[in-house]
Amino acid sequence: MANDMSTAGADRAAFHFRAETGEVRAVLRRAVARFARQITAEDAGALELVLAEVLNNVVEHAYAHRPAGEIRLSLWRAPARLHCLVEDLGRALPGLSPPDDDLPGDGTPDRCPPDDCARTCACRVRDLAEGGWGWSLIRALTEDLGYERTGKANRLRFAVPLASP
Amino acid sequence: MDLLAKTVDGVLVVRVNEDRIDAAVAIQFKDRMRDLAAGAGGRVILDLGRVGFVDSSGLGAIVAAMKFLAPASRLELAALSPTVGKVFRMTRMDTIFAIHAQAPAAGAVDGE
């Protein structure tokens, strides 16, 4: 189980856990529960989605093809945002920066007829991407996204903006 | 991965009896959909009424299901929660799927 390292009350939390999808799931539940009373349901949904995308990226990319490593997630509540820091010892992000926010193409090839084809055109369905949305979701739902590689460590920082509850 | 399939008025309705479709279960979801919908022709409606969370891996699994059902069948979605609907909007996948507010004859699907 994920090890909850938090000691400092409801406005901050830290989790240290193994980089596996099941562990990520458990940490998401606990991280969102920790702040659920302080933030709106919509912000809680955004927080869970952002953390899921970031942490599963670490599992599936940074630690791909090597033994499951460790992830440290730290969260701090500020008045209008939740600061997040994700640290791991996996592979660096390609180009040493987070990918941009381009969505994958919607798969519409030129040969598809226009207009009424949007939901029915077989050629369009066949060419749909089955992934590649993660960073665009992260960028859309966060502010001040920053990455640094120090030695063998990755540190990704970002903030999730919060509405007034 | 608990998926329940029933035919309602000629439409195959697949109800997802899980809280989440995420990275931890994306592959199981695809496998179960393949089993349940094998040989289905016509419309298949995925009832997401019990699903509170879909991440990009889960979304990819749903798109993959749509792709392997096509062209014989068309995958449609029903009963998206606000959080799940937001993921579809942000990725523009809401333009790809027909999305219904509710699954057809939901009460008949599992006796509720």
Side-chain angles (χ1 to χ4, degrees), chain A residues 43 46-47 50 54 78-85 98 135-147 156-163, chain B residues 90:
Chain A
D43 286 344
L47 174 66
V50 165
V54 169
R81 56 206 327 221
L82 191 68
H83 293 282
C84 308
L85 170 64
W135 282 105
S136 105
L137 291 171
I138 294 164
R139 287 197 177 271
L141 294 169
T142 64
E143 300 170 346
D144 298 338
L145 181 68
Y147 169 77
L156 189 75
R157 299 169 184 276
F158 50 90
V160 176
L162 301 174
Chain B
M90 292 183 71

Side-chain angles (χ1 to χ4, degrees), chain B:
Chain B
M1 192 82 208
D2 184 0
L3 303 187
L4 183 69
K6 287 274 176 75
T7 301
V8 180
D9 295 334
V11 177
L12 183 68
V13 179
V14 179
R15 180 168 187 123
V16 183
N17 286 322
E18 301 278 350
D19 295 338
R20 325 166 59 85
I21 305 175
D22 62 12
V25 295
I27 292 171
Q28 292 152 264
F29 172 81
K30 277 193 277 193
D31 290 345
R32 281 291 287 147
M33 281 298 288
R34 216 182 278 273
D35 293 344
L36 288 171
R43 296 167 67 199
V44 178
I45 297 183
L46 189 67
D47 179 357
L48 294 171
R50 288 198 182 165
V51 177
F53 183 77
V54 172
D55 64 12
S56 66
S57 299
L59 178 61
I62 294 169
V63 172
M66 180 192 224
K67 288 170 69 173
F68 64 64
L69 287 168
S73 297
R74 188 150 69 96
L75 184 64
E76 305 175 8
L77 309 176
L80 275 55
S81 75
T83 302
V84 173
K86 188 171 173 180
V87 175
F88 279 83
R89 281 196 305 281
M90 292 183 71
T91 56
R92 298 189 206 127
M93 288 297 108
D94 61 335
T95 67
I96 300 297
F97 290 92
I99 298 177
H100 309 281
Q102 294 192 317
V109 172
D110 64 357
E112 277 181 11

Side-chain angles (χ1 to χ4, degrees), chain A residues 25 48 53 125-126 128 130, chain B residues 20 22 56 60 64 67 97:
Chain A
R25 205 187 234 206
E48 182 166 15
E53 298 301 333
V125 169
R126 195 172 54 230
L128 284 172
E130 294 176 26
Chain B
R20 325 166 59 85
D22 62 12
S56 66
K67 288 170 69 173
F97 290 92

